[in-house]
């Protein structure tokens, strides 16, 4: 008898991306993201505008995912959605949609922790990799990290070092006590008049600059934790002083400033990650979150291979916020029959 397949519809709406994805038996069929350009004019995400845009985007995005996957909604086995952490108004749109869809189609509802989703994005399989072992039994075939591994999750909202011993056995070893790494990139970019979100553009300038022209201090934070708010302040004072002497200082030195700031952020990230590797003895490491796109971070991360470390970085579309990571996490919840009640409410500060 042929076993029927498990088709999960994933919904992500925790910040400013409205996303839907479809995964069949752990393999991606569709991954659709609608970015919200409305925030650009404000230089950052405006929560009220994000909720409204999610409300407008959610149905068309789900529709596009179904069409792309060539799946009828009646074929979906379960719906998974982000229930936190994130902006409450944004989370409410995705969770309300998922609850209604689950009731209308009479299928199970699965809540997903966004941060677990970023990490489990490493387990998304693509059609060409379909000869990989069954994901439930996976012991680490090419492209997918073997347990246990250490994941450095770096995004606009989070910076965490997580020890991952199984799909849902995750322990936060360290995290930022103030700004996230992506936030630091974006805030410094703003000071340098680089448009939002500044991280990717700052990276482009940095690649043309000399990181050793300027230097910025590292924070003193105990254990495996991070702090990036001090860096922001020191860049601010540095710029004020230099602009006093030369009003064109930023335009004349943009590439070198970007390179120095980028190197400082990446060095800070890597110092704590290396400590985590030493302390745990775990030599498989993975990167997750939007900042994984950063050229210097990828370079330094992959250089650890020379020290006998096995490194994993997911495809870029699975690093930034997306619903494929929510669908794959939902798939593993489904396999262990972990479902959610209709009475659930989003948790803006949900922990791993
Ligand atoms: O994971 P993500 O898409 O959304 C959040 O959950 O926050 O991450 C977005 C963050 C932004 O702060 C953005 O500036 C940063 O990732 N980012 C980068 C690069 N690409 C995206 N930061 C530095 N260099 C990049 N190339
Ligand atoms: Zn995220």
């Amino acid at each position: 008898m042929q076993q029927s397949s498990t088709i999960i519809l994933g919904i992500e709406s925790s910040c400013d991306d409205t996303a839907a994805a479809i995964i069949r038996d752990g393999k991606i069929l569709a991954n659709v993201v609608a970015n919200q350009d409305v925030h650009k004019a404000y230089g950052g995400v405006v929560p009220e505008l994000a909720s409204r845009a999610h409300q407008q985007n959610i149905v068309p995005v789900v529709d596009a995912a179904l069409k792309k996957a060539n799946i009828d909604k009646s074929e979906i086995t379960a719906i998974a959605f982000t229930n936190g952490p994130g902006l409450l108004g944004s989370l409410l749109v995705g969770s309300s949609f998922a609850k209604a869809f689950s009731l209308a189609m009479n299928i199970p509802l699965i809540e997903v922790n966004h941060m677990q989703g970023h990490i489990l994005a490493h387990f998304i399989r693509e059609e060409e990799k379909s000869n990989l072992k069954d994901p439930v039994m996976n012991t680490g075939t090419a492209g997918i990290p073997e347990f246990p591994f250490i994941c450095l999750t770096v995004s606009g909202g989070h910076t965490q070092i997580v020890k991952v011993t199984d799909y849902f056995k995750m322990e936060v070893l360290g995290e930022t006590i103030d700004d996230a790494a992506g936030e630091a990139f974006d805030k410094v970019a703003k000071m340098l008049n680089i448009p939002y979100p500044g991280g990717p553009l700052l990276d482009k300038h940095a690649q043309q600059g000399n990181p050793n022209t300027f230097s910025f201090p590292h924070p003193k934070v105990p254990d495996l934790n991070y702090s990036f708010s001090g860096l922001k302040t020191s860049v601010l004072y540095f710029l004020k002083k230099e602009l006093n002497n030369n009003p064109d200082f930023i335009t004349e030195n943009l590439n070198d400033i970007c390179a120095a700031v980028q190197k400082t952020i990446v060095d800070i990230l890597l110092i704590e990650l290396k400590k985590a590797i030493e302390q745990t003895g775990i030599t498989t490491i993975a990167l997750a979150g939007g900042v994984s796109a950063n050229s210097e971070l990828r370079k330094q991360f992959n250089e650890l291979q020379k020290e006998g470390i096995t490194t994993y970085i997911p495809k870029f579309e699975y690093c930034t916020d997306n619903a494929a990571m929510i669908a794959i996490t939902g798939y593993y919840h489904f396999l262990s029959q972990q479902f959610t009640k209709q009475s659930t409410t989003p948790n803006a500060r949900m922990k791993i």
Side-chain angles (χ1 to χ4, degrees), residues 14-17 114 118 154-158 181-183 185-186 197-200 203 262 289-291 293-295 316 319-321:
S14 65
C15 189
D16 62 338
D17 293 306
H114 180 87
H118 270 301
V154 270
S155 72
H158 299 273
E183 207 176 343
F185 273 110
D186 295 339
D203 185 2
Q262 173 159 301
V291 183
N294 184 266
S295 60
F316 183 61
C319 285
T320 50
D321 282 353

Side-chain angles (χ1 to χ4, degrees), residues 119 149-151 153 160-164 170-173 352:
I119 295 172
F149 64 91
I150 303 273
C151 188
T153 310
Q160 287 185 330
I161 298 179
V162 183
K163 179 174 150 190
V164 187
M170 301 185 186
E171 184 193 347
V172 178
L173 301 180
I352 271 191

